Structures are given as C-alpha cells and as structure tokens.
Amino acid sequence: MKTNESVMWHMDDDFWAMHAFWWIFWFIFFIIIFFVGVWYIRNKHTTKETPLDILKRRYAAGEIDTEEYHLRKRELEKGN
C-alpha cells in the first residue's frame, strides 16, 4: 500500500504536468489568434479590381493613350 507521502508527491507531479500543459495550450492558442487577426486585418482592405478599374488606372498613369483606352473600354462594355 502506498503511503500518504508517496501519493502526495504523485499528485503534485500530475498537477504540474497539467499546469504546464494548460500554459502551453493557451500560449499557442493566443499566438494563433494573433496571426489570424493580423491576416484578417491585412486582407480586409484588399478589394478586387474590375477590368474597367484596371483600364482606368492604366489610362490615368499614362500607360495607354486615349484611342486605346476607348477601344478597350468598348470591348469590355460589349462583353457585359
């Protein structure tokens, strides 16, 4: 039969093992929550540009001239 002292020591080891487990669990949990939050904030502000938006941006930047802009705009509007 086990003595009270050996039972107490055994319970103490289990207590610290579970205590360490929960510290590790919550640490990993909050790290995951942090990275999910960062990912959400970064991706929340990105919007999908439509082809017409891209065309307007390229025209405003001077990458294409007026004739090409109107030609491509008509093609895009014909597709809709």
Side-chain angles (χ1 to χ4, degrees):
M1 182 168 256
K2 294 183 178 179
T3 64
N4 283 343
E5 186 175 327
S6 68
V7 171
M8 286 176 42
W9 280 108
H10 182 68
M11 288 173 57
D12 193 38
D13 289 341
D14 286 344
F15 171 76
W16 288 110
M18 283 302 291
H19 190 68
F21 168 77
W22 284 110
W23 271 103
I24 293 168
F25 171 80
W26 286 112
F27 181 73
I28 292 171
F29 177 77
F30 284 119
I31 287 176
I32 291 170
I33 293 297
F34 173 77
F35 282 110
V36 167
V38 168
W39 174 82
Y40 177 74
I41 289 170
R42 285 186 179 178
N43 290 326
K44 182 173 79 169
H45 298 293
T46 58
T47 57
K48 300 278 185 183
E49 279 186 301
T50 65
L52 190 56
D53 292 336
I54 295 169
L55 183 64
K56 289 177 182 177
R57 181 176 41 84
R58 289 187 62 201
Y59 179 64
E63 295 177 19
I64 57 176
D65 61 2
T66 305
E67 182 181 338
E68 186 176 359
Y69 170 76
H70 289 296
L71 175 70
R72 292 180 186 254
K73 184 178 177 189
R74 278 194 301 268
E75 287 294 319
L76 287 172
E77 289 172 346
K78 185 172 31 170
N80 289 334

